[in-house]
Amino acid sequence: MDLSINFKQVTHTYQPESPFAHQALQGVSFTIQEHSYTAIIGHTGSGKSTLIQHLNGLLRPTSGEVVVNQQTITANTSNKALINLRRKVGVVFQFPEAQLFEETVLKDIAFAPRNFGMAADQAEKIARKAASMVQLPQTVLKKSPFELSGGQMRRVAIAGILAMQPQILVLDEPTAGLDPRGHQEIMDLFAQLKREQNLTVILVSHQMDDVALYADQVIVLEEGKVIAQQTPRELFNRPKWLRQHHLDLPHAAKFAFDLEKQANLKFEQLPLTEDELADELAKYLPKEGEQ
Amino acid sequence: MNKVLLGRYLPGSSFIHRLDPRSKLVLSFYFIIVIFLANNWSTYLFMLFVVAGCILLAQIKLGFFWKGVQPLIWLILFTVLLQILFSRGGTIFWQWGPFSLTQTGIVSGIYVFFRFVLIIFMSTLLTLTTPPLEIAGALESLLKPLKKIHFPVYEVSLMLSIALRFVPTLIDEAAKIMNAQRSRGVNFDSGSLRQRLNAVVPLLIPLFVSAFNRAEDLATAMEARGYHGGEGRTKYRINQWHLRDTVSVVFFLLVTIVMILLRTW
């Protein structure tokens, strides 16, 4: 089955025909291949959140059409048709711990599969699996989600989405407010899931290091328009353009540009991650036996 | 969710915007009393002109005011219908059991309609031109005399201003949680009454929990900034009575006099 995502001239206006009308997306077109890892970046208010709400039909385009999972969503698509889509597209919203409500962690994780018609015992099995995926200890499963720490609540919320077994995973700053270690673990988990289950992942992030490390393509939004769609390497190779649009470079790339300028080094390709930077720098080290 | 006009404020610098919130609040209430003086077509016409004049002065598009009427339109039409069907007097056009269509009924139906619309227009004008916090502040200073009978004026106005401040935040929060639960397969818009009630639980519990957390954080932050309660505080927002406020008060007194004259005319 073709799981690619296609936006065709999508426009979204909030509160149309009212004095508060606001156009959040203006003729957005792009294609996301299946099994790819796409990062969406842009300033606050550039339309990122509006865009991702189109992916599972929470919002319908005011004009244009969205094709997800061979299903076309237009302004007239009925709610019923969209519920089917939500099973396939899991969305982890910003600060997803706000969605927890059940008496126990286990029940909360099993909530989504239950909603999509799964039998109770099977939903529980899947919930346990999802909990272990996000490294929740077995002991918390019987606890109330409100007894947990912020980091654990985040994991429960993410497990609740993974339990839906989505084929497309949409992440809206999934690690905002987590400590560096939690951030690393969660981001690695998503990368691992993508590899093992061949998911299509869409990440909204302000962290350019994550974009460089995980994504295979980047979509840049500005004021409701797509202003670039390229690989991270192509994008970060244009520091001047990025500065014009007030976007950052990954730390490794920034350091590499500084080195090129001040130490007169020349890298074959722009290092995007610390590992790549180390590899590039290693080429300048004297080989063993040389002096 | 975003369609709520209640408590919406439109920044501006018109004559009405710059009025003292106290005079605006009092005059809006006063207007509601005055409108009950209206009893014939000339008084209603006059009130219509007064409200139209105020709206012109505020420099706000008429569309906003219709938006204020919209949520109440069924209530208004229902009341109008009752008036029309159950009033007696004048020429009878049609009768069936207890229902009758009479001249008085139609006329008083039209009057009730205008009374509703004018009251809503005026209160919408108040909320559109006054930030919620200023309304709360105005209420506090107007309630001050009640301190004598040990009414907790300060606490009530603090609660009111915090409540007003968090209305949009909570609406945003509710919309966010609703979206998150929709993504997890909750269906808010269809199903039987029972199913719909069940669907509200995953929305209400997180909303309450987040309100508790927010309240705790806010209380901590307030204490950390040296808040001890109402005694001995100074005020940042000080209302000032200007000439324009006196002018408005005089204007409304004149309106009342004209109304009384028109009533008996």
Side-chain angles (χ1 to χ4, degrees):
Chain A
M1 197 170 36
D2 184 21
L3 281 168
S4 64
I5 297 165
N6 207 341
F7 274 58
K8 292 176 195 158
Q9 286 298 320
V10 172
T11 299
H12 190 91
T13 310
Y14 283 106
Q15 305 184 53
E17 287 156 46
S18 87
F20 303 105
H22 167 65
Q23 197 173 27
L25 292 180
Q26 307 180 24
V28 169
S29 301
F30 60 82
T31 303
I32 292 176
Q33 297 301 333
E34 57 182 328
H35 316 316
S36 63
Y37 197 131
T38 305
I40 299 178
I41 62 174
H43 277 280
T44 21
S46 57
K48 302 185 300 272
S49 295
T50 308
L51 191 149
I52 61 169
Q53 288 181 47
H54 281 81
L55 293 169
N56 71 343
L58 287 174
L59 294 177
R60 275 163 286 198
T62 314
S63 71
E65 58 179 58
V66 178
V67 183
V68 183
N69 192 24
Q70 291 176 314
Q71 190 173 343
T72 306
I73 310 164
T74 62
N76 305 318
T77 307
S78 75
N79 261 324
K80 224 176 202 158
L82 294 174
I83 289 172
N84 222 345
L85 179 68
R86 287 182 195 147
R87 188 183 312 212
K88 301 273 165 50
V89 185
V91 185
V92 177
F93 283 96
Q94 252 179 69
F95 299 102
E97 52 272 28
Q99 72 193 25
L100 305 178
F101 74 100
E102 281 278 17
E103 299 147 46
T104 68
V105 168
L106 194 63
K107 267 191 183 172
D108 202 286
I109 301 176
F111 179 66
R114 296 279 289 135
N115 277 330
F116 291 121
M118 196 178 278
D121 51 339
Q122 212 194 337
E124 189 175 313
K125 222 172 86 190
I126 286 185
R128 284 185 191 281
K129 211 177 117 204
S132 70
M133 270 199 268
V134 298
Q135 293 164 14
L136 276 172
Q138 287 285 318
T139 47
V140 303
L141 293 184
K142 290 269 170 258
K143 282 191 186 171
S144 155
F146 300 114
E147 289 173 41
L148 308 183
S149 70
Q152 279 184 324
M153 281 168 87
R154 179 75 57 94
R155 282 162 199 266
V156 174
I158 291 172
I161 304 296
L162 296 180
M164 290 164 56
Q165 301 181 305
Q167 288 159 317
I168 297 171
L169 190 59
V170 183
L171 312 163
D172 189 356
E173 298 195 47
T175 61
L178 286 190
D179 58 76
R181 185 160 153 219
H183 171 95
Q184 188 71 40
E185 284 173 2
I186 296 281
M187 289 310 293
D188 284 346
L189 165 73
F190 291 136
Q192 181 199 343
L193 277 174
K194 187 206 167 280
R195 235 177 304 129
E196 287 171 2
Q197 303 182 9
N198 245 335
L199 298 179
T200 308
V201 180
I202 296 165
L203 169 78
V204 172
S205 181
H206 289 290
Q207 308 257 353
M208 297 305 159
D209 286 338
D210 287 343
V211 174
L213 188 56
Y214 300 106
D216 15 272
Q217 67 165 340
V218 189
I219 293 173
V220 187
L221 281 182
E222 193 179 75
E223 288 174 3
K225 295 189 193 103
V226 173
I227 55 168
Q229 181 181 15
Q230 7 184 232
T231 65
R233 198 171 302 282
E234 286 166 343
L235 179 77
F236 294 128
N237 243 323
R238 298 195 286 165
K240 218 174 180 176
W241 185 87
L242 286 168
R243 214 173 307 129
Q244 270 166 15
H245 294 276
H246 308 283
L247 294 166
D248 256 340
L249 280 168
H251 287 109
K254 206 183 282 172
F255 186 69
F257 278 120
D258 284 350
L259 268 183
E260 282 190 338
K261 209 183 286 168
Q262 287 172 21
N264 236 343
L265 297 181
K266 192 75 202 137
F267 295 118
E268 279 162 41
Q269 67 166 3
L270 176 72
L272 294 181
T273 63
E274 286 163 33
D275 287 348
E276 286 179 13
L277 180 66
D279 285 346
E280 288 292 328
L281 285 175
K283 290 177 188 163
Y284 285 92
L285 292 176
K287 299 259 161 46
E288 217 174 320
E290 276 179 55
Q291 191 53 34
Chain B
M1 279 286 183
N2 287 321
K3 283 166 197 135
V4 185
L5 191 74
L6 188 81
R8 204 59 98 85
Y9 164 66
L10 280 185
S13 59
S14 69
F15 179 82
I16 306 251
H17 277 94
R18 284 181 286 129
L19 278 181
D20 189 309
R22 284 173 300 177
S23 57
K24 265 190 278 190
L25 196 63
V26 171
L27 289 178
S28 312
F29 278 115
Y30 184 67
F31 174 83
I32 292 170
I33 298 164
V34 173
I35 195 123
F36 281 96
L37 287 175
N39 66 344
N40 56 30
W41 66 269
S42 56
T43 43
Y44 274 104
L45 201 66
F46 176 62
M47 283 319 250
L48 207 63
F49 275 119
V50 171
V51 172
C54 292
I55 290 175
L56 272 181
L57 264 181
Q59 293 166 351
I60 294 174
K61 281 193 210 121
L62 213 60
F64 282 100
F65 294 91
W66 275 120
K67 277 217 143 12
V69 175
Q70 264 167 17
L72 290 169
I73 195 76
W74 292 112
L75 181 73
I76 297 173
L77 290 182
F78 179 69
T79 321
V80 169
L81 199 72
L82 285 187
Q83 276 294 336
I84 291 180
L85 288 182
F86 290 104
S87 296
R88 265 150 230 283
T91 331
I92 297 168
F93 300 114
W94 170 82
Q95 196 159 23
W96 183 74
F99 306 108
S100 62
L101 195 64
T102 64
Q103 198 187 358
T104 348
I106 292 172
V107 170
S108 65
I110 292 171
Y111 284 171
V112 165
F113 178 78
F114 272 103
R115 192 175 288 172
F116 262 115
V117 169
L118 289 180
I119 289 176
I120 293 170
F121 271 27
M122 211 54 171
S123 39
T124 311
L125 185 70
L126 172 74
T127 53
L128 282 181
T129 58
T130 324
L133 282 180
E134 280 193 18
I135 297 184
L139 211 60
E140 184 191 355
S141 67
L142 289 171
L143 288 179
K144 227 168 222 158
L146 289 182
K147 249 188 184 157
K148 292 219 173 72
I149 56 163
H150 300 292
F151 182 79
V153 173
Y154 177 77
E155 281 76 10
V156 167
S157 82
L158 178 76
M159 280 193 278
L160 190 71
S161 51
I162 290 177
L164 284 172
R165 156 67 186 79
F166 280 101
V167 166
T169 315
L170 282 178
I171 288 179
D172 281 355
E173 182 96 19
K176 252 162 81 184
I177 295 171
M178 223 163 152
N179 272 341
Q181 306 298 29
R182 270 209 188 105
S183 304
R184 298 211 285 167
V186 177
N187 191 351
F188 288 103
D189 323 294
S190 60
S192 65
L193 187 68
R194 209 190 136 81
Q195 282 172 321
R196 282 193 196 209
L197 282 177
N198 278 337
V200 177
V201 175
L203 171 65
L204 277 191
I205 294 180
L207 202 58
F208 270 102
V209 169
S210 110
F212 286 137
N213 289 336
R214 215 179 274 284
E216 206 177 325
D217 289 347
L218 182 68
T220 313
M222 281 169 75
E223 273 182 7
R225 294 168 77 179
Y227 177 82
H228 296 298
E231 281 313 306
R233 293 195 71 204
T234 52
K235 277 175 82 74
Y236 172 67
R237 245 179 275 266
I238 293 170
N239 294 323
Q240 281 216 342
W241 194 267
H242 291 279
L243 181 66
R244 51 177 174 266
D245 297 297
T246 320
V247 169
S248 328
V249 170
V250 170
F251 173 72
F252 269 86
L253 288 177
L254 285 177
V255 166
T256 321
I257 294 168
V258 175
M259 281 297 281
I260 291 169
L261 289 177
L262 283 177
R263 248 170 85 89
T264 49
W265 182 46

